[in-house]
Amino acid sequence: MHAKGLFIPYIFIVEYAEASRLTSVSFYILSVMNGGATIGRIVPAIISDIYGRFNLLVTVTSLAGISCLALWIPATVTATAVSSTRDAALVIAFGIVYGIFSGAFISLVNPCVFQISERGQEGSRMGALNSLV
């Protein structure tokens, strides 16, 4: 997952909810995603010490993409002119799940760069990474 593509759901989720007439969740969905991202930035950092930083980074990146396919697209397909509880539940579930996995991605990139860098080169490699992204 490219870092620019990581934020597309954050940018469009509110407009999507409004366009789908899910007015009951459109105001809160971005906060739900950010709440999930808070959890995703803390918990995976602890888990990565057990399972490995790169292993977890690949896993959460894959799961973030899968959550778009498994939750956001079905909510898009089933959205009708009248908002339904199922559509709202799918959007909220997507917000929580994607928030957790995208937050994990953000928190795991830096430790991965530090893991492959020699002492004294961390700053230049972080700068190169951020310049490329």
Side-chain angles (χ1 to χ4, degrees):
M1 175 180 294
H2 193 271
K4 290 180 186 175
L6 177 75
F7 295 110
I8 288 175
Y10 285 96
I11 294 168
F12 291 113
I13 193 72
V14 174
E15 287 82 6
Y16 162 73
E18 289 174 354
S20 299
R21 293 180 170 59
L22 299 173
T23 55
S24 60
V25 298
S26 65
F27 185 72
Y28 300 106
I29 190 64
L30 189 58
S31 298
V32 168
M33 288 179 78
N34 284 320
T38 302
I39 295 167
R41 290 178 190 216
I42 296 169
V43 175
I46 298 166
I47 296 172
S48 69
D49 290 335
I50 299 168
Y51 295 106
R53 291 164 190 86
F54 283 100
N55 295 334
L56 196 58
L57 181 67
V58 169
T59 303
V60 299
T61 303
S62 300
L63 291 173
I66 290 169
S67 71
C68 289
L69 297 173
L71 296 172
W72 199 4
I73 291 178
T76 305
V77 171
T78 61
T80 60
V82 179
S83 65
S84 70
T85 307
R86 180 179 179 273
D87 297 337
L90 280 172
V91 172
I92 291 171
F94 169 74
I96 294 168
V97 170
Y98 188 80
I100 290 170
F101 293 138
S102 65
F105 175 82
I106 291 168
S107 71
L108 290 172
V109 170
N110 294 342
C112 288
V113 171
F114 275 69
Q115 184 174 338
I116 62 170
S117 299
E118 295 177 14
R119 189 167 178 94
Q121 292 183 339
E122 296 94 348
S124 60
R125 291 196 177 179
M126 285 301 300
L129 171 73
N130 290 322
S131 294
L132 292 173
V133 169

